[in-house]
Each structure stands twice: as structure tokens, then as C-alpha cells.
Amino acid sequence: MIYKPKGRKHYIVGFRFNGKLIQRRTRAISKKDARIIEARLRSELAKGNFGILESKPAPTLAEFLKSDFLPYTQSKFAPGSKTLAYYIYGADMLTKSDLTNLPLNEITDQHARGFEARYSHLEKSTVNCGLRTLRRSLNLAFEWSKLDRQPQLKLAKGENERTRVLSASEATAYLEACSQPWRDVATIMLGTGARPDEVYRLRWEQIGWRAGGGIIHMLKGKSDNAERPLPLLPEVYEALKQRHADQGEPHAGWVFPSDSASGHLMQGSAKNQHAKALEHCGVEPFAPYTLRHTGLTWIAPYCDAYTLARIAGHSSISMTMRYTHPQQNSIEQTFARIGSDTSRQKVIANGDDRSLLAESEDAELAPLSAKKSVA
């Protein structure tokens, strides 16, 4: 017997051998592959190789982090990237915690809660760095068949969420309180939905000018889709054009140069300027990344989800959904447009239960039907 549990993508094989029910979860996503695995199991059991049914001992968390997780992240993310540094820091926290010697298959959400309590004196974002690393490690262990189950771990509550969306008045008050160069950085993030680091590392070679506008050519970065063109809205164009003029209209170089080792604006300096702006604008404090969330949310009503994912530089729409936050008025406007659709009202009034699409298809097929009846 081969079946796929509801909501799962991998098949399970089950059969009886010598009167005993044998069930094994596979990594197969097609019936053909699942049957090959079932045949192999039957063949090994027929040879007397009953050890094939024994589960291999799970590695400890410390062993998995050192031999599997860290090498994987170092190969996946560019050296010096924030994501790599984030996971390295999280792995270090876990290695120094009480979880380090636990076998992977014994770790549960209860252990995660204990980890949270152990580091309760730290900021929630720091605690969640460890928990996110733990969750990612266990998910990878499951994908790589080192775990038979996928534990569900919750993050610590109270972290300064990035999902807040600024109102237009808040954004205006905030920008007026910003000093340069942070004001231009914030303007670009709000107008394009770009990541902070993408703006910090922006170079003049990436900007294509044209009359009254232009395009920022974002380079490869955090995701496979990070390389993308972002047209300039008027406010972004004006900010960049003024900065370009102030720097003597260079053809190359950093848009936001600084005395840092990298030569461009860095996160530390940016956060300091952000904090000073919050002190004088009267807006409830928020994380700088909120500017990206706000920008993408403002763009969302003007395009479909696939286009928005492309603008955001995401590899999947599911990630984009975390960055958009439709307001109640936009939901009401959507239904108002549906209600004002006269063609839809006509179909309903006539009691026709066909969709408009089906009706249009019938109209296209009508001449063909007529020809058949004449024949």
C-alpha cells in the first residue's frame, strides 16, 4: 500500500511481512519512486536484512550544527552576508545552551521554551535568533532524512516586529526629521521596497537615467531573485538626482559613501541616524526595516502577487505575503469594484449560474456548433 497523508508531499509505504505490518515514511513525491522504495524494502527483508527497519541514532544538536548545518549555510550564503552571520551567531548560542547534547529527535517545543527562559534577560530578537536557527536546523534535518518528524517550534513573543506599516502622515513626519544621508536612504526604501543593505551598497553604475526618471538595477544578493530593475518614482528620482549633482555627477562610485572600512554607509551609522529621527518626529518607534515593509505594502494594490514578489526580490510568493498588509479600506474597495461590475450584475439578474469566462467561451464556440448542426 502506498499513500500520501493529507497535507504532506511525501509518500508512505505500508505492507505486511510475515504477518507483521511494515510502514515507512519515504522522501518520494511520486508513486513511481515510492514503489521502488517499497520493492527495495521487500527485497532486503526477504534476504533477512531486518536491520533496514532499524532507525539510525539521531545526531546531537551540536554534532548536526558542526557537521551539517554550518557547512550548508556557509555554502549557501555569501561570506560576510547578514544571513550567514545571523545563523552563525544563533548556532553559537545553541552550542553554549543546555540543548547542545540533546539528540535531534528528542528536541520539542518544550525545550525551546526552556531556551527562551534561560535567555530571558536578552532582547527578544536575540532569543529568536537562537530559536530561528534551531527551527531551521531541525527542518533541514527532516529534509535530509535525519529526523522522522518535523517539530513545530514557536518563537518568543514580544520581538520588535518589522511588520508594522507607516501611515502617509507618519512617513512624512519621519522623513522631515531625518538627516542626510539617511533621509535619502529612507526615501528610496519607501519608494521601491528595497532592502536596507541593497540601498547602503548602491552604486552610481546601477542607476540608469532617463528624462524625468530612471531605473535602479539591483544586483545579485540575498535571494536568487534579488537581481531586478526598480523604476524610480518621482520622489526617489528627485532625491537621487540631487545627490548625484551634489557629488559632481560621477559615473561610478558609492551613492552613499562614508569613512567606514567598506567605503559606504553601514548599518550601525544608519541605525544611529534612524534613532535621532525618531526622537524628533513624534512617531511611535519602529525598526528601520519597517520602511521596506511599508514601501511594499504601498505598492501592493497596484500589481498582482507575482509582480510584487519580483519587485521585492523574493524567490516565492509565500515570502512576499509576509511583507504586505492589506488595510480594511482596500478590502472594502475590492468588493465595491466587484459590486459595481455591470456585466456581473446582468448575469446574476438573469439567473445564469455560468461564470463570465464560461459565457465568453460559449460565445466563441457558437459558430463551430452552428457549422456542425448544418453539416
Side-chain angles (χ1 to χ4, degrees), residues 68-122:
D68 296 276
F69 179 75
L70 287 176
Y72 167 78
T73 53
Q74 289 166 353
S75 64
K76 183 175 177 61
F77 302 106
S81 69
K82 291 183 179 180
T83 304
L84 177 59
Y86 187 87
Y87 281 132
I88 289 177
Y89 184 84
D92 184 62
M93 286 184 68
L94 293 172
T95 302
K96 294 176 180 178
S97 73
D98 297 336
L99 306 180
T100 185
N101 294 320
L102 280 178
L104 293 182
N105 58 357
E106 294 183 11
I107 298 176
T108 65
D109 187 60
Q110 184 177 355
H111 293 102
R113 302 285 65 79
F115 179 88
E116 179 184 353
R118 169 68 176 78
Y119 292 101
S120 59
H121 60 287
L122 301 177

CSV table of all heavy atoms in Angstrom, one decimal, residues 68-122:
chain,number,residue,atom,x,y,z
A,68,ASP,N,26.8,19.5,9.7
A,68,ASP,CA,25.8,19.7,8.6
A,68,ASP,C,25.3,21.1,8.4
A,68,ASP,O,25.4,21.7,7.3
A,68,ASP,CB,24.7,18.8,8.8
A,68,ASP,CG,25.0,17.3,8.8
A,68,ASP,OD1,25.1,16.8,7.7
A,68,ASP,OD2,25.3,16.7,9.9
A,69,PHE,N,24.8,21.7,9.5
A,69,PHE,CA,24.1,23.0,9.3
A,69,PHE,C,25.1,24.1,9.0
A,69,PHE,O,24.8,24.9,8.0
A,69,PHE,CB,23.4,23.3,10.6
A,69,PHE,CG,22.7,24.7,10.6
A,69,PHE,CD1,21.5,24.8,9.9
A,69,PHE,CD2,23.2,25.8,11.2
A,69,PHE,CE1,20.8,26.0,9.8
A,69,PHE,CE2,22.6,27.0,11.1
A,69,PHE,CZ,21.4,27.1,10.4
A,70,LEU,N,26.1,24.3,9.7
A,70,LEU,CA,27.1,25.4,9.4
A,70,LEU,C,27.7,25.3,8.0
A,70,LEU,O,27.8,26.3,7.3
A,70,LEU,CB,28.1,25.5,10.5
A,70,LEU,CG,27.5,26.1,11.9
A,70,LEU,CD1,28.6,26.1,12.9
A,70,LEU,CD2,27.0,27.5,11.6
A,71,PRO,N,28.2,24.1,7.7
A,71,PRO,CA,28.8,24.0,6.3
A,71,PRO,C,27.8,24.3,5.2
A,71,PRO,O,28.1,24.9,4.2
A,71,PRO,CB,29.2,22.5,6.2
A,71,PRO,CG,29.5,22.1,7.6
A,71,PRO,CD,28.5,22.9,8.4
A,72,TYR,N,26.5,23.9,5.5
A,72,TYR,CA,25.4,24.2,4.5
A,72,TYR,C,25.2,25.7,4.4
A,72,TYR,O,25.2,26.2,3.2
A,72,TYR,CB,24.1,23.5,4.9
A,72,TYR,CG,22.9,24.0,4.2
A,72,TYR,CD1,22.7,23.5,2.9
A,72,TYR,CD2,22.0,24.9,4.7
A,72,TYR,CE1,21.6,24.0,2.2
A,72,TYR,CE2,20.9,25.3,4.1
A,72,TYR,CZ,20.7,24.9,2.8
A,72,TYR,OH,19.6,25.3,2.1
A,73,THR,N,25.1,26.4,5.5
A,73,THR,CA,24.8,27.8,5.4
A,73,THR,C,26.0,28.6,4.8
A,73,THR,O,25.8,29.6,4.1
A,73,THR,CB,24.5,28.4,6.8
A,73,THR,OG1,25.6,28.0,7.8
A,73,THR,CG2,23.2,27.8,7.4
A,74,GLN,N,27.2,28.1,5.1
A,74,GLN,CA,28.4,28.8,4.6
A,74,GLN,C,28.5,28.6,3.1
A,74,GLN,O,29.1,29.5,2.4
A,74,GLN,CB,29.7,28.2,5.3
A,74,GLN,CG,29.8,28.7,6.7
A,74,GLN,CD,30.8,27.9,7.5
A,74,GLN,OE1,31.4,26.9,7.0
A,74,GLN,NE2,31.1,28.3,8.7
A,75,SER,N,28.0,27.5,2.6
A,75,SER,CA,28.0,27.3,1.1
A,75,SER,C,26.8,28.0,0.4
A,75,SER,O,26.9,28.4,-0.7
A,75,SER,CB,27.9,25.8,0.8
A,75,SER,OG,26.7,25.3,1.2
A,76,LYS,N,25.8,28.2,1.1
A,76,LYS,CA,24.5,28.8,0.6
A,76,LYS,C,24.6,30.4,0.5
A,76,LYS,O,24.1,31.0,-0.4
A,76,LYS,CB,23.3,28.4,1.3
A,76,LYS,CG,22.0,28.9,0.8
A,76,LYS,CD,20.8,28.3,1.5
A,76,LYS,CE,19.5,28.9,0.9
A,76,LYS,NZ,19.3,28.6,-0.5
A,77,PHE,N,25.2,31.0,1.6
A,77,PHE,CA,25.2,32.4,1.7
A,77,PHE,C,26.6,33.0,1.5
A,77,PHE,O,27.6,32.4,1.9
A,77,PHE,CB,24.6,32.9,3.1
A,77,PHE,CG,23.2,32.4,3.3
A,77,PHE,CD1,23.0,31.3,4.2
A,77,PHE,CD2,22.1,32.9,2.7
A,77,PHE,CE1,21.7,30.8,4.5
A,77,PHE,CE2,20.9,32.4,2.9
A,77,PHE,CZ,20.7,31.4,3.8
A,78,ALA,N,26.6,34.2,0.9
A,78,ALA,CA,27.9,34.8,0.6
A,78,ALA,C,28.7,35.1,1.9
A,78,ALA,O,28.1,35.5,2.9
A,78,ALA,CB,27.7,36.0,-0.2
A,79,PRO,N,30.0,35.0,1.8
A,79,PRO,CA,30.8,35.4,3.0
A,79,PRO,C,30.6,36.8,3.4
A,79,PRO,O,30.5,37.7,2.5
A,79,PRO,CB,32.3,35.2,2.5
A,79,PRO,CG,32.1,34.2,1.4
A,79,PRO,CD,30.8,34.5,0.7
A,80,GLY,N,30.4,37.0,4.7
A,80,GLY,CA,30.1,38.4,5.2
A,80,GLY,C,28.7,38.8,5.1
A,80,GLY,O,28.4,39.9,5.5
A,81,SER,N,27.8,38.0,4.5
A,81,SER,CA,26.4,38.4,4.4
A,81,SER,C,25.7,38.3,5.8
A,81,SER,O,26.2,37.6,6.7
A,81,SER,CB,25.6,37.4,3.5
A,81,SER,OG,25.5,36.1,4.1
A,82,LYS,N,24.7,39.1,6.0
A,82,LYS,CA,24.0,39.2,7.3
A,82,LYS,C,23.3,37.9,7.6
A,82,LYS,O,23.3,37.5,8.8
A,82,LYS,CB,23.0,40.4,7.2
A,82,LYS,CG,23.5,41.7,7.1
A,82,LYS,CD,22.4,42.8,7.2
A,82,LYS,CE,23.0,44.2,7.1
A,82,LYS,NZ,22.0,45.2,7.2
A,83,THR,N,22.8,37.2,6.6
A,83,THR,CA,22.1,36.0,6.9
A,83,THR,C,23.1,34.9,7.5
A,83,THR,O,22.8,34.2,8.4
A,83,THR,CB,21.4,35.4,5.7
A,83,THR,OG1,20.5,36.4,5.1
A,83,THR,CG2,20.6,34.1,6.0
A,84,LEU,N,24.2,34.9,6.9
A,84,LEU,CA,25.3,33.9,7.3
A,84,LEU,C,25.7,34.3,8.8
A,84,LEU,O,25.8,33.4,9.6
A,84,LEU,CB,26.5,33.9,6.4
A,84,LEU,CG,27.7,33.1,6.8
A,84,LEU,CD1,27.2,31.6,7.0
A,84,LEU,CD2,28.8,33.2,5.8
A,85,ALA,N,25.9,35.6,9.0
A,85,ALA,CA,26.3,36.0,10.4
A,85,ALA,C,25.2,35.7,11.4
A,85,ALA,O,25.5,35.3,12.5
A,85,ALA,CB,26.7,37.5,10.3
A,86,TYR,N,24.0,35.9,10.9
A,86,TYR,CA,22.8,35.6,11.8
A,86,TYR,C,22.8,34.1,12.3
A,86,TYR,O,22.7,33.8,13.5
A,86,TYR,CB,21.6,36.0,11.1
A,86,TYR,CG,20.3,35.9,11.9
A,86,TYR,CD1,19.9,37.0,12.6
A,86,TYR,CD2,19.5,34.8,11.9
A,86,TYR,CE1,18.7,37.0,13.4
A,86,TYR,CE2,18.3,34.7,12.7
A,86,TYR,CZ,17.9,35.9,13.4
A,86,TYR,OH,16.8,35.8,14.1
A,87,TYR,N,23.0,33.2,11.3
A,87,TYR,CA,22.9,31.8,11.7
A,87,TYR,C,24.1,31.4,12.4
A,87,TYR,O,24.0,30.5,13.3
A,87,TYR,CB,22.8,31.0,10.4
A,87,TYR,CG,21.3,30.9,9.9
A,87,TYR,CD1,21.1,31.1,8.5
A,87,TYR,CD2,20.3,30.7,10.7
A,87,TYR,CE1,19.8,31.1,8.0
A,87,TYR,CE2,19.0,30.6,10.2
A,87,TYR,CZ,18.7,30.8,8.9
A,87,TYR,OH,17.4,30.8,8.4
A,88,ILE,N,25.3,31.9,12.2
A,88,ILE,CA,26.5,31.6,12.9
A,88,ILE,C,26.3,32.0,14.4
A,88,ILE,O,26.7,31.3,15.3
A,88,ILE,CB,27.7,32.3,12.3
A,88,ILE,CG1,28.1,31.6,11.0
A,88,ILE,CG2,28.9,32.2,13.3
A,88,ILE,CD1,29.2,32.3,10.2
A,89,TYR,N,25.8,33.2,14.6
A,89,TYR,CA,25.5,33.7,15.9
A,89,TYR,C,24.5,32.8,16.6
A,89,TYR,O,24.7,32.4,17.8
A,89,TYR,CB,25.0,35.1,15.9
A,89,TYR,CG,24.8,35.7,17.3
A,89,TYR,CD1,25.9,36.3,18.0
A,89,TYR,CD2,23.6,35.7,17.9
A,89,TYR,CE1,25.8,36.9,19.2
A,89,TYR,CE2,23.4,36.3,19.2
A,89,TYR,CZ,24.5,36.9,19.8
A,89,TYR,OH,24.3,37.4,21.1
A,90,GLY,N,23.4,32.4,15.9
A,90,GLY,CA,22.4,31.6,16.5
A,90,GLY,C,22.9,30.2,16.9
A,90,GLY,O,22.6,29.6,17.9
A,91,ALA,N,23.8,29.6,16.0
A,91,ALA,CA,24.4,28.3,16.2
A,91,ALA,C,25.3,28.4,17.5
A,91,ALA,O,25.4,27.4,18.3
A,91,ALA,CB,25.2,27.9,15.0
A,92,ASP,N,26.0,29.5,17.6
A,92,ASP,CA,26.9,29.7,18.8
A,92,ASP,C,26.1,29.7,20.1
A,92,ASP,O,26.5,29.1,21.1
A,92,ASP,CB,27.7,30.9,18.6
A,92,ASP,CG,28.7,31.1,19.8
A,92,ASP,OD1,29.6,30.3,19.9
A,92,ASP,OD2,28.6,32.1,20.5
A,93,MET,N,24.9,30.4,20.0
A,93,MET,CA,24.0,30.4,21.2
A,93,MET,C,23.6,29.0,21.6
A,93,MET,O,23.6,28.6,22.7
A,93,MET,CB,22.8,31.3,20.9
A,93,MET,CG,23.1,32.8,20.9
A,93,MET,SD,21.5,33.7,20.7
A,93,MET,CE,20.7,33.3,22.3
A,94,LEU,N,23.2,28.2,20.6
A,94,LEU,CA,22.6,26.9,20.8
A,94,LEU,C,23.7,26.0,21.3
A,94,LEU,O,23.5,25.1,22.2
A,94,LEU,CB,22.1,26.3,19.5
A,94,LEU,CG,20.8,27.0,19.0
A,94,LEU,CD1,20.5,26.5,17.6
A,94,LEU,CD2,19.6,26.8,19.9
A,95,THR,N,24.9,26.1,20.8
A,95,THR,CA,26.1,25.3,21.2
A,95,THR,C,26.4,25.5,22.7
A,95,THR,O,26.8,24.6,23.4
A,95,THR,CB,27.3,25.5,20.4
A,95,THR,OG1,27.0,25.3,19.0
A,95,THR,CG2,28.4,24.6,20.8
A,96,LYS,N,26.2,26.7,23.2
A,96,LYS,CA,26.5,27.1,24.6
A,96,LYS,C,25.3,26.8,25.5
A,96,LYS,O,25.4,27.1,26.7
A,96,LYS,CB,26.9,28.5,24.6
A,96,LYS,CG,28.3,28.8,23.9
A,96,LYS,CD,28.6,30.3,24.0
A,96,LYS,CE,29.9,30.6,23.2
A,96,LYS,NZ,30.2,32.0,23.2
A,97,SER,N,24.2,26.4,25.0
A,97,SER,CA,23.0,26.2,25.8
A,97,SER,C,22.9,24.8,26.3
A,97,SER,O,23.7,23.9,25.9
A,97,SER,CB,21.7,26.5,24.9
A,97,SER,OG,21.5,25.5,24.0
A,98,ASP,N,21.8,24.5,27.0
A,98,ASP,CA,21.5,23.2,27.6
A,98,ASP,C,21.1,22.2,26.5
A,98,ASP,O,21.0,21.0,26.7
A,98,ASP,CB,20.5,23.3,28.7
A,98,ASP,CG,20.9,24.1,29.8
A,98,ASP,OD1,22.1,24.2,30.0
A,98,ASP,OD2,20.0,24.7,30.6
A,99,LEU,N,20.8,22.7,25.3
A,99,LEU,CA,20.3,21.8,24.2
A,99,LEU,C,21.4,21.1,23.5
A,99,LEU,O,21.1,20.2,22.7
A,99,LEU,CB,19.4,22.7,23.2
A,99,LEU,CG,18.3,23.5,23.8
A,99,LEU,CD1,17.6,24.2,22.6
A,99,LEU,CD2,17.3,22.6,24.5
A,100,THR,N,22.6,21.6,23.6
A,100,THR,CA,23.7,21.2,22.8
A,100,THR,C,23.9,19.7,22.7
A,100,THR,O,24.2,19.1,21.6
A,100,THR,CB,25.0,21.9,23.2
A,100,THR,OG1,26.1,21.5,22.3
A,100,THR,CG2,25.4,21.4,24.6
A,101,ASN,N,23.7,18.9,23.8
A,101,ASN,CA,24.0,17.5,23.8
A,101,ASN,C,22.7,16.7,23.6
A,101,ASN,O,22.8,15.4,23.7
A,101,ASN,CB,24.6,17.1,25.1
A,101,ASN,CG,26.1,17.7,25.2
A,101,ASN,OD1,26.8,17.7,24.3
A,101,ASN,ND2,26.4,18.1,26.4
A,102,LEU,N,21.6,17.3,23.3
A,102,LEU,CA,20.3,16.6,23.1
A,102,LEU,C,20.3,16.0,21.7
A,102,LEU,O,20.7,16.6,20.7
A,102,LEU,CB,19.1,17.5,23.3
A,102,LEU,CG,18.7,17.8,24.7
A,102,LEU,CD1,17.5,18.8,24.6
A,102,LEU,CD2,18.2,16.5,25.4
A,103,PRO,N,19.9,14.7,21.5
A,103,PRO,CA,19.7,14.2,20.2
A,103,PRO,C,18.6,14.9,19.5
A,103,PRO,O,17.6,15.4,20.1
A,103,PRO,CB,19.2,12.7,20.5
A,103,PRO,CG,19.8,12.4,21.8
A,103,PRO,CD,19.6,13.7,22.6
A,104,LEU,N,18.7,15.1,18.2
A,104,LEU,CA,17.8,15.9,17.4
A,104,LEU,C,16.3,15.4,17.6
A,104,LEU,O,15.4,16.2,17.7
A,104,LEU,CB,18.1,15.9,15.9
A,104,LEU,CG,19.4,16.6,15.5
A,104,LEU,CD1,19.6,16.6,14.0
A,104,LEU,CD2,19.4,18.1,16.0
A,105,ASN,N,16.1,14.1,17.6
A,105,ASN,CA,14.8,13.6,17.7
A,105,ASN,C,14.1,13.7,19.1
A,105,ASN,O,13.0,13.3,19.2
A,105,ASN,CB,14.8,12.1,17.3
A,105,ASN,CG,15.7,11.2,18.2
A,105,ASN,OD1,16.4,11.7,19.0
A,105,ASN,ND2,15.7,9.9,17.9
A,106,GLU,N,14.8,14.2,20.0
A,106,GLU,CA,14.3,14.5,21.4
A,106,GLU,C,13.9,15.9,21.6
A,106,GLU,O,13.2,16.2,22.6
A,106,GLU,CB,15.2,14.0,22.5
A,106,GLU,CG,15.5,12.5,22.5
A,106,GLU,CD,16.4,12.1,23.6
A,106,GLU,OE1,16.7,12.9,24.5
A,106,GLU,OE2,16.9,10.9,23.6
A,107,ILE,N,14.3,16.8,20.7
A,107,ILE,CA,14.0,18.2,20.9
A,107,ILE,C,12.6,18.6,20.6
A,107,ILE,O,12.1,18.2,19.5
A,107,ILE,CB,15.0,19.1,20.0
A,107,ILE,CG1,16.4,18.8,20.5
A,107,ILE,CG2,14.6,20.6,20.2
A,107,ILE,CD1,17.4,19.6,19.6
A,108,THR,N,11.9,19.2,21.5
A,108,THR,CA,10.5,19.6,21.3
A,108,THR,C,10.3,21.1,21.6
A,108,THR,O,11.3,21.8,22.0
A,108,THR,CB,9.6,18.8,22.2
A,108,THR,OG1,9.9,19.2,23.6
A,108,THR,CG2,9.8,17.3,22.1
A,109,ASP,N,9.1,21.6,21.4
A,109,ASP,CA,8.8,23.0,21.7
A,109,ASP,C,9.0,23.3,23.2
A,109,ASP,O,9.3,24.4,23.5
A,109,ASP,CB,7.4,23.3,21.3
A,109,ASP,CG,7.1,24.8,21.4
A,109,ASP,OD1,7.7,25.6,20.7
A,109,ASP,OD2,6.2,25.2,22.2
A,110,GLN,N,8.9,22.3,24.0
A,110,GLN,CA,9.2,22.5,25.5
A,110,GLN,C,10.6,22.9,25.7
A,110,GLN,O,10.9,23.7,26.6
A,110,GLN,CB,8.8,21.2,26.2
A,110,GLN,CG,9.0,21.4,27.7
A,110,GLN,CD,8.5,20.1,28.5
A,110,GLN,OE1,8.1,19.1,27.9
A,110,GLN,NE2,8.7,20.1,29.8
A,111,HIS,N,11.5,22.3,25.0
A,111,HIS,CA,12.9,22.6,25.1
A,111,HIS,C,13.2,24.1,24.6
A,111,HIS,O,14.0,24.8,25.1
A,111,HIS,CB,13.8,21.7,24.3
A,111,HIS,CG,13.8,20.3,24.8
A,111,HIS,ND1,13.1,19.3,24.3
A,111,HIS,CD2,14.5,19.8,25.9
A,111,HIS,CE1,13.3,18.2,25.0
A,111,HIS,NE2,14.2,18.4,26.0
A,112,ALA,N,12.4,24.4,23.5
A,112,ALA,CA,12.5,25.8,23.0
A,112,ALA,C,12.1,26.8,24.1
A,112,ALA,O,12.7,27.9,24.2
A,112,ALA,CB,11.7,25.9,21.7
A,113,ARG,N,11.0,26.5,24.8
A,113,ARG,CA,10.5,27.4,25.9
A,113,ARG,C,11.6,27.5,27.0
A,113,ARG,O,11.7,28.5,27.6
A,113,ARG,CB,9.2,26.9,26.4
A,113,ARG,CG,8.1,26.7,25.4
A,113,ARG,CD,7.5,28.0,25.0
A,113,ARG,NE,8.4,28.9,24.2
A,113,ARG,CZ,8.7,28.8,22.9
A,113,ARG,NH1,8.2,27.8,22.2
A,113,ARG,NH2,9.5,29.6,22.3
A,114,GLY,N,12.3,26.3,27.3
A,114,GLY,CA,13.3,26.4,28.3
A,114,GLY,C,14.5,27.3,27.8
A,114,GLY,O,15.1,28.0,28.6
A,115,PHE,N,14.8,27.2,26.5
A,115,PHE,CA,15.8,28.1,25.9
A,115,PHE,C,15.4,29.5,26.1
A,115,PHE,O,16.3,30.4,26.5
A,115,PHE,CB,16.0,27.7,24.5
A,115,PHE,CG,17.1,28.5,23.8
A,115,PHE,CD1,18.4,28.2,23.8
A,115,PHE,CD2,16.7,29.7,23.1
A,115,PHE,CE1,19.3,28.9,23.1
A,115,PHE,CE2,17.6,30.5,22.4
A,115,PHE,CZ,19.0,30.1,22.4
A,116,GLU,N,14.2,29.8,25.8
A,116,GLU,CA,13.7,31.2,25.9
A,116,GLU,C,13.8,31.7,27.4
A,116,GLU,O,14.2,32.8,27.6
A,116,GLU,CB,12.2,31.3,25.5
A,116,GLU,CG,11.6,32.6,25.6
A,116,GLU,CD,10.1,32.6,25.2
A,116,GLU,OE1,9.6,31.6,24.7
A,116,GLU,OE2,9.5,33.7,25.4
A,117,ALA,N,13.4,30.8,28.3
A,117,ALA,CA,13.5,31.2,29.8
A,117,ALA,C,15.0,31.4,30.2
A,117,ALA,O,15.3,32.3,30.9
A,117,ALA,CB,12.9,30.2,30.6
A,118,ARG,N,15.9,30.6,29.7
A,118,ARG,CA,17.3,30.7,30.0
A,118,ARG,C,17.9,32.0,29.6
A,118,ARG,O,18.7,32.6,30.3
A,118,ARG,CB,18.0,29.5,29.4
A,118,ARG,CG,19.6,29.6,29.4
A,118,ARG,CD,20.1,29.4,30.8
A,118,ARG,NE,21.5,29.4,30.9
A,118,ARG,CZ,22.3,30.5,30.8
A,118,ARG,NH1,21.7,31.7,30.7
A,118,ARG,NH2,23.6,30.4,30.8
A,119,TYR,N,17.4,32.5,28.4
A,119,TYR,CA,18.0,33.8,27.9
A,119,TYR,C,17.0,34.9,28.0
A,119,TYR,O,17.0,35.8,27.2
A,119,TYR,CB,18.4,33.6,26.5
A,119,TYR,CG,19.6,32.7,26.3
A,119,TYR,CD1,19.5,31.3,25.9
A,119,TYR,CD2,20.9,33.1,26.6
A,119,TYR,CE1,20.6,30.5,25.8
A,119,TYR,CE2,22.0,32.3,26.5
A,119,TYR,CZ,21.8,31.0,26.1
A,119,TYR,OH,22.9,30.2,26.0
A,120,SER,N,16.1,34.9,29.0
A,120,SER,CA,15.1,35.9,29.1
A,120,SER,C,15.6,37.3,29.4
A,120,SER,O,14.9,38.3,29.3
A,120,SER,CB,14.1,35.5,30.3
A,120,SER,OG,14.8,35.3,31.5
A,121,HIS,N,16.9,37.3,29.9
A,121,HIS,CA,17.5,38.6,30.2
A,121,HIS,C,17.9,39.3,28.9
A,121,HIS,O,18.3,40.5,28.9
A,121,HIS,CB,18.7,38.4,31.1
A,121,HIS,CG,19.8,37.6,30.5
A,121,HIS,ND1,19.7,36.2,30.4
A,121,HIS,CD2,21.0,37.9,30.0
A,121,HIS,CE1,20.8,35.7,29.9
A,121,HIS,NE2,21.6,36.7,29.6
A,122,LEU,N,17.9,38.6,27.8
A,122,LEU,CA,18.3,39.2,26.5
A,122,LEU,C,17.1,39.8,25.8
A,122,LEU,O,16.0,39.4,26.1
A,122,LEU,CB,19.0,38.2,25.6
A,122,LEU,CG,20.3,37.6,26.2
A,122,LEU,CD1,20.9,36.5,25.2
A,122,LEU,CD2,21.4,38.6,26.5
